[in-house]
Amino acid sequence: MLFTKVGTVILLVSDMAKSTKFYKNILELPIKTKSSDWVEFFARETTLALHPLKSKRKNIKPSSGGTLVGFMVSDLESTAKTLKQKKVKFFKEPRNESFGKHAIIEDPDGHLISIAEMKSKAAADEFDLLGLLGAE
């Protein structure tokens, strides 16, 4: 197979400044590269990039609900507490799942962001998308 890994996840956003502030200041992601129409976070492995939505098609919105960005954390309770203090909107409140602890937040454009504290490496390898979204 030609593909070896995901290099970049690109989110189309309606307001670059607002979204950059959210990912940099609220989620505290390190910026790798920044220009007026491109911001890239993390310096190695998979990066997360923001790009302004520039479309003449009126039916395209930044978040279609079909993509979810996932982050691993070492302490979900502490992370959730900090995010709540920063007034971040929770799509799914933190709760225990078979793989560990899990919550989902929303960015300014409504992109869903999964935050998981895994019980073990084996649990991370068996991460369940249905559990991720809270679908029963």
Side-chain angles (χ1 to χ4, degrees), residues 3 7 32-33 37 54 59 62 74-75 84 90-91 94 103 105 121 124 135:
F3 301 102
K32 174 184 176 184
T33 304
D37 65 350
K54 297 177 184 174
N59 62 340
S74 58
D75 183 348
K84 286 181 180 192
F90 277 75
F91 178 83
I105 60 172
K121 169 81 170 97

Side-chain angles (χ1 to χ4, degrees), residues 25-45:
N25 298 342
I26 303 295
L27 298 188
E28 301 178 8
L29 302 185
I31 291 180
K32 174 184 176 184
T33 304
K34 183 177 179 184
S35 70
S36 62
D37 65 350
W38 185 264
V39 178
E40 200 168 320
F41 298 93
F42 299 111
R44 53 192 168 92
E45 300 298 325

Side-chain angles (χ1 to χ4, degrees), residues 67-73 76 92 99 101-106 111-118 127 129 131-133:
T67 303
L68 193 114
V69 176
F71 292 101
M72 303 296 188
V73 297
L76 183 64
K92 174 185 168 187
F99 52 81
K101 297 176 183 175
H102 183 250
I104 299 175
I105 60 172
E106 294 184 35
H111 293 288
L112 298 179
I113 301 167
S114 166
I115 305 169
E117 176 187 335
M118 305 309 252
F127 194 60
L129 181 60
L132 174 79
L133 295 173

Side-chain angles (χ1 to χ4, degrees), residues 10-132:
I10 303 167
L11 297 178
L12 300 177
V13 299
S14 61
D15 183 327
M16 285 293 288
K18 187 175 182 179
S19 292
T20 299
K21 181 179 176 182
F22 177 83
Y23 285 93
K24 179 182 181 291
N25 298 342
I26 303 295
L27 298 188
E28 301 178 8
L29 302 185
I31 291 180
K32 174 184 176 184
T33 304
K34 183 177 179 184
S35 70
S36 62
D37 65 350
W38 185 264
V39 178
E40 200 168 320
F41 298 93
F42 299 111
R44 53 192 168 92
E45 300 298 325
T46 303
T47 60
L48 175 67
L50 306 178
H51 184 67
L53 177 65
K54 297 177 184 174
S55 176
K56 294 177 182 169
R57 295 177 60 189
K58 303 287 187 222
N59 62 340
I60 296 179
K61 294 185 173 133
S63 175
S64 64
T67 303
L68 193 114
V69 176
F71 292 101
M72 303 296 188
V73 297
S74 58
D75 183 348
L76 183 64
E77 281 185 38
S78 174
T79 300
K81 181 179 178 184
T82 299
L83 293 173
K84 286 181 180 192
Q85 289 171 345
K86 294 180 177 183
K87 307 288 188 231
V88 172
K89 183 177 179 183
F90 277 75
F91 178 83
K92 174 185 168 187
E93 289 291 327
R95 68 178 183 198
N96 291 319
E97 302 285 358
S98 61
F99 52 81
K101 297 176 183 175
H102 183 250
I104 299 175
I105 60 172
E106 294 184 35
D107 81 355
D109 280 305
H111 293 288
L112 298 179
I113 301 167
S114 166
I115 305 169
E117 176 187 335
M118 305 309 252
K119 286 181 185 175
S120 66
K121 169 81 170 97
D125 291 341
E126 297 173 8
F127 194 60
D128 175 14
L129 181 60
L130 293 179
L132 174 79

